[in-house]
Amino acid sequence: DGGITQSPKYLFRKEGQNVTLSCEQNLNHDAMYWYRQDPGQGLRLIYYSQIVNDFQKGDIAEGYSVSREKKESFPLTVTSAQKNPTAFYLCASTHTSGPRNSPLHFGNGTRLTVT
Amino acid sequence: GDSVTQMEGPVTLSEEAFLTINCTYTATGYPSLFWYVQYPGEGLQLLLKATKADDKGSNKGFEATYRKETTSFHLEKGSVQVSDSAVYFCALGPQAGTALIFGKGTTLSVSS
Protein backbone atom coordinates (compact mmCIF):
# COMPACT_ATOMS: atom_id res chain seq x y z
CA ASP A 1 0.00 0.00 0.00
CA GLY A 2 1.17 3.51 -0.74
CA GLY A 3 1.74 5.94 2.03
CA ILE A 4 4.06 8.20 3.97
CA THR A 5 6.54 6.80 6.45
CA GLN A 6 8.00 8.94 9.19
CA SER A 7 10.75 7.59 11.36
CA PRO A 8 11.43 7.25 14.14
CA LYS A 9 8.13 7.52 16.01
CA TYR A 10 9.86 8.86 19.14
CA LEU A 11 13.16 10.74 19.22
CA PHE A 12 15.12 12.03 22.19
CA ARG A 13 18.01 14.46 21.95
CA LYS A 14 20.13 16.61 24.19
CA GLU A 15 19.96 20.36 23.83
CA GLY A 16 22.54 21.70 21.39
CA GLN A 17 22.43 18.69 19.06
CA ASN A 18 21.08 18.74 15.54
CA VAL A 19 18.60 16.00 14.68
CA THR A 20 17.14 14.83 11.36
CA LEU A 21 13.62 13.51 10.98
CA SER A 22 12.94 11.18 8.08
CA CYS A 23 9.96 11.37 5.71
CA GLU A 24 9.55 8.99 2.78
CA GLN A 25 6.55 8.62 0.45
CA ASN A 26 5.74 6.11 -2.28
CA LEU A 27 2.65 7.90 -3.55
CA ASN A 28 4.49 9.54 -6.46
CA HIS A 29 3.53 12.94 -5.06
CA ASP A 30 5.41 16.02 -6.14
CA ALA A 31 4.57 18.28 -3.21
CA MET A 32 5.72 17.59 0.34
CA TYR A 33 5.26 19.51 3.58
CA TRP A 34 6.50 19.64 7.16
CA TYR A 35 4.18 20.79 9.93
CA ARG A 36 4.77 21.20 13.62
CA GLN A 37 1.95 20.39 16.04
CA ASP A 38 1.86 21.79 19.57
CA PRO A 39 -1.00 21.49 22.09
CA GLY A 40 -3.46 24.35 21.61
CA GLN A 41 -1.56 25.68 18.57
CA GLY A 42 -2.78 23.46 15.79
CA LEU A 43 -0.51 22.78 12.82
CA ARG A 44 2.07 25.32 11.72
CA LEU A 45 3.91 25.07 8.42
CA ILE A 46 7.69 24.78 8.62
CA TYR A 47 8.80 24.12 5.03
CA TYR A 48 7.31 22.83 1.83
CA SER A 49 8.58 21.61 -1.51
CA GLN A 50 6.69 21.42 -4.77
CA ILE A 51 9.44 19.83 -6.83
CA VAL A 52 12.79 18.12 -6.42
CA ASN A 53 15.67 20.44 -5.55
CA ASP A 54 13.35 23.29 -4.62
CA PHE A 55 11.70 24.24 -1.33
CA GLN A 56 10.17 27.26 0.39
CA LYS A 57 9.99 28.48 3.96
CA GLY A 58 6.73 28.27 5.79
CA ASP A 59 5.55 30.34 8.72
CA ILE A 60 8.04 29.02 11.30
CA ALA A 61 11.17 28.02 9.34
CA GLU A 62 13.71 29.55 11.72
CA GLY A 63 15.93 26.89 13.29
CA TYR A 64 14.98 24.25 10.72
CA SER A 65 16.44 23.09 7.42
CA VAL A 66 15.30 20.69 4.69
CA SER A 67 16.50 19.07 1.50
CA ARG A 68 14.68 17.55 -1.45
CA GLU A 69 17.21 15.55 -3.45
CA LYS A 70 14.73 12.82 -4.34
CA LYS A 71 11.03 12.95 -5.11
CA GLU A 72 10.32 10.35 -2.44
CA SER A 73 12.21 11.94 0.43
CA PHE A 74 11.95 15.21 2.34
CA PRO A 75 14.06 15.07 5.53
CA LEU A 76 13.79 17.80 8.16
CA THR A 77 16.74 18.83 10.32
CA VAL A 78 16.02 20.50 13.62
CA THR A 79 19.10 22.54 14.41
CA SER A 80 20.43 23.76 17.72
CA ALA A 81 19.21 27.24 16.72
CA GLN A 82 15.58 26.16 17.18
CA LYS A 83 14.70 27.59 20.58
CA ASN A 84 11.84 25.27 21.47
CA PRO A 85 12.20 22.07 19.43
CA THR A 86 10.16 19.69 21.57
CA ALA A 87 7.01 19.00 19.54
CA PHE A 88 5.14 16.56 17.32
CA TYR A 89 6.29 16.79 13.69
CA LEU A 90 4.08 15.78 10.79
CA CYS A 91 5.09 15.23 7.19
CA ALA A 92 2.51 15.39 4.39
CA SER A 93 2.37 15.10 0.62
CA THR A 94 0.00 15.70 -2.25
CA HIS A 95 -0.16 15.87 -6.03
CA THR A 96 1.20 18.76 -8.06
CA SER A 97 -2.28 20.18 -8.32
CA GLY A 98 -1.88 21.10 -4.67
CA PRO A 99 -3.86 20.57 -1.46
CA ARG A 100 -6.79 22.67 -2.72
CA ASN A 101 -7.52 19.99 -5.28
CA SER A 102 -5.99 16.81 -3.88
CA PRO A 103 -6.06 15.52 -0.32
CA LEU A 104 -3.01 15.96 1.86
CA HIS A 105 -1.68 12.57 2.95
CA PHE A 106 0.00 12.60 6.34
CA GLY A 107 2.50 10.35 8.02
CA ASN A 108 1.95 9.21 11.59
CA GLY A 109 4.38 11.77 12.96
CA THR A 110 7.58 11.90 14.98
CA ARG A 111 7.49 13.07 18.57
CA LEU A 112 10.75 14.87 19.34
CA THR A 113 11.80 15.55 22.91
CA VAL A 114 14.84 17.71 23.58
CA THR A 115 16.18 17.96 27.12
CA GLY B 1 -3.54 37.32 6.03
CA ASP B 2 -5.78 34.30 5.64
CA SER B 3 -6.73 32.51 8.83
CA VAL B 4 -9.04 29.92 10.37
CA THR B 5 -10.72 30.07 13.77
CA GLN B 6 -12.43 27.06 15.27
CA MET B 7 -14.13 26.54 18.58
CA GLU B 8 -11.93 25.49 21.44
CA GLY B 9 -12.44 22.14 23.03
CA PRO B 10 -12.60 19.73 24.42
CA VAL B 11 -16.09 18.81 23.36
CA THR B 12 -17.52 15.98 25.44
CA LEU B 13 -20.65 14.18 24.26
CA SER B 14 -22.58 11.03 24.95
CA GLU B 15 -23.04 8.48 22.19
CA GLU B 16 -25.83 9.39 19.73
CA ALA B 17 -25.70 13.09 20.62
CA PHE B 18 -25.68 15.81 17.95
CA LEU B 19 -22.31 17.37 17.17
CA THR B 20 -21.45 20.85 15.95
CA ILE B 21 -17.91 22.19 15.76
CA ASN B 22 -17.78 25.80 14.63
CA CYS B 23 -15.27 27.07 12.11
CA THR B 24 -14.97 30.56 10.63
CA TYR B 25 -12.39 31.88 8.24
CA THR B 26 -10.82 35.05 6.90
CA ALA B 27 -9.56 34.95 3.35
CA THR B 28 -9.19 36.94 0.17
CA GLY B 29 -10.67 35.58 -3.01
CA TYR B 30 -12.27 32.15 -3.11
CA PRO B 31 -10.61 29.63 -0.82
CA SER B 32 -11.36 25.92 -0.57
CA LEU B 33 -12.38 24.63 2.86
CA PHE B 34 -11.62 21.32 4.52
CA TRP B 35 -12.13 19.28 7.66
CA TYR B 36 -9.34 16.90 8.62
CA VAL B 37 -9.49 14.38 11.48
CA GLN B 38 -6.65 13.05 13.63
CA TYR B 39 -7.18 9.82 15.55
CA PRO B 40 -4.96 9.14 18.57
CA GLY B 41 -1.34 8.47 17.65
CA GLU B 42 -1.87 9.08 13.94
CA GLY B 43 -1.45 11.76 11.32
CA LEU B 44 -4.36 13.71 9.88
CA GLN B 45 -6.69 12.43 7.19
CA LEU B 46 -9.17 14.30 5.03
CA LEU B 47 -12.74 14.03 6.28
CA LEU B 48 -14.55 16.28 3.81
CA LYS B 49 -14.12 19.35 1.67
CA ALA B 50 -15.98 22.09 -0.21
CA THR B 51 -14.53 24.17 -3.01
CA LYS B 52 -17.10 26.92 -3.55
CA ALA B 53 -19.86 28.80 -1.81
CA ASP B 54 -22.96 26.75 -0.88
CA ASP B 55 -21.15 23.44 -1.53
CA LYS B 56 -21.83 20.78 1.09
CA GLY B 57 -19.09 18.30 1.90
CA SER B 58 -20.09 15.02 3.50
CA ASN B 59 -18.44 11.79 4.62
CA LYS B 60 -19.07 9.12 7.27
CA GLY B 61 -22.19 10.96 8.48
CA PHE B 62 -20.37 14.27 8.90
CA GLU B 63 -21.44 17.33 6.94
CA ALA B 64 -20.29 20.91 6.48
CA THR B 65 -21.63 23.67 4.23
CA TYR B 66 -19.46 26.43 2.78
CA ARG B 67 -21.24 29.68 3.78
CA LYS B 68 -19.61 32.67 2.16
CA GLU B 69 -22.05 35.18 3.66
CA THR B 70 -21.07 34.16 7.20
CA THR B 71 -17.52 32.96 6.29
CA SER B 72 -18.21 29.70 8.05
CA PHE B 73 -17.76 25.95 7.54
CA HIS B 74 -19.27 24.33 10.63
CA LEU B 75 -18.93 20.56 11.04
CA GLU B 76 -22.05 18.61 12.05
CA LYS B 77 -23.03 15.02 12.72
CA GLY B 78 -26.46 13.89 13.76
CA SER B 79 -25.44 10.99 15.99
CA VAL B 80 -21.87 10.59 17.19
CA GLN B 81 -20.22 7.29 18.09
CA VAL B 82 -17.41 6.48 20.48
CA SER B 83 -15.23 5.81 17.44
CA ASP B 84 -15.60 9.48 16.42
CA SER B 85 -13.41 10.52 19.34
CA ALA B 86 -10.53 12.40 17.73
CA VAL B 87 -9.13 15.86 17.05
CA TYR B 88 -10.87 17.74 14.24
CA PHE B 89 -9.11 20.43 12.22
CA CYS B 90 -10.73 23.00 10.00
CA ALA B 91 -8.43 24.09 7.17
CA LEU B 92 -8.39 26.64 4.37
CA GLY B 93 -6.77 26.38 0.97
CA PRO B 94 -6.06 29.93 -0.16
CA GLN B 95 -6.96 30.82 -3.71
CA ALA B 96 -3.39 31.88 -4.44
CA GLY B 97 -1.58 29.61 -2.02
CA THR B 98 0.17 26.27 -2.19
CA ALA B 99 -0.24 25.15 1.42
CA LEU B 100 -3.23 24.70 3.69
CA ILE B 101 -3.83 26.90 6.72
CA PHE B 102 -5.10 24.91 9.70
CA GLY B 103 -7.13 25.91 12.72
CA LYS B 104 -5.97 24.95 16.20
CA GLY B 105 -8.04 21.78 16.33
CA THR B 106 -10.98 20.71 18.47
CA THR B 107 -10.79 17.58 20.59
CA LEU B 108 -13.98 15.50 20.61
CA SER B 109 -14.52 12.87 23.27
CA VAL B 110 -17.57 10.60 22.99
CA SER B 111 -18.56 8.32 25.84
CA SER B 112 -20.91 5.34 25.78
Side-chain angles (χ1 to χ4, degrees), chain A residues 1 3 6-8 15 46 73-74 85-86 96:
Chain A
D1 284 342
Q6 290 187 245
S7 60
E15 198 172 314
I46 305 172
S73 178
F74 192 40
T86 294
T96 311

Side-chain angles (χ1 to χ4, degrees), chain B residues 14-33:
Chain B
S14 297
E15 208 166 20
E16 299 183 3
F18 184 85
L19 168 72
T20 300
I21 300 178
N22 291 338
C23 172
T24 57
Y25 68 90
T26 301
T28 54
Y30 302 93
S32 294
L33 299 172

Side-chain angles (χ1 to χ4, degrees), chain A residues 98-103, chain B residues 25 29-35 46 48-58 64-68 73 91-95:
Chain A
R100 275 174 58 91
N101 302 305
S102 302
Chain B
Y25 68 90
Y30 302 93
S32 294
L33 299 172
F34 306 83
W35 278 100
L46 178 65
L48 54 84
K49 73 173 190 179
T51 57
K52 62 183 187 296
D54 299 325
D55 266 3
K56 178 186 282 188
S58 61
T65 301
Y66 187 167
R67 302 279 188 208
K68 193 164 178 65
F73 193 55
L92 178 153
Q95 181 175 359

Side-chain angles (χ1 to χ4, degrees), chain A residues 33 37 40 48 99-100 104 106-107, chain B residues 32 34 36 38 43 93-94 98 104:
Chain A
Y33 304 79
Q37 184 176 11
Y48 64 101
R100 275 174 58 91
L104 271 179
F106 282 84
Chain B
S32 294
F34 306 83
Y36 277 79
Q38 182 180 34
T98 54
K104 293 186 176 181

Side-chain angles (χ1 to χ4, degrees), chain A residues 93-110:
Chain A
S93 71
T94 190
H95 289 290
T96 311
S97 56
R100 275 174 58 91
N101 302 305
S102 302
L104 271 179
H105 292 256
F106 282 84
N108 284 339
T110 292

Side-chain angles (χ1 to χ4, degrees), chain A residues 43-59:
Chain A
L43 272 67
R44 293 181 290 169
L45 182 65
I46 305 172
Y47 267 98
Y48 64 101
S49 168
Q50 294 179 274
I51 196 168
V52 173
N53 292 325
D54 189 42
F55 47 83
Q56 285 78 41
K57 294 182 180 180
D59 300 318

Side-chain angles (χ1 to χ4, degrees), chain A residues 64-81:
Chain A
Y64 299 97
S65 66
V66 293
S67 63
R68 186 83 188 277
E69 296 177 3
K70 298 187 301 181
K71 186 175 183 177
E72 302 79 19
S73 178
F74 192 40
L76 174 74
T77 297
V78 184
T79 75
S80 57

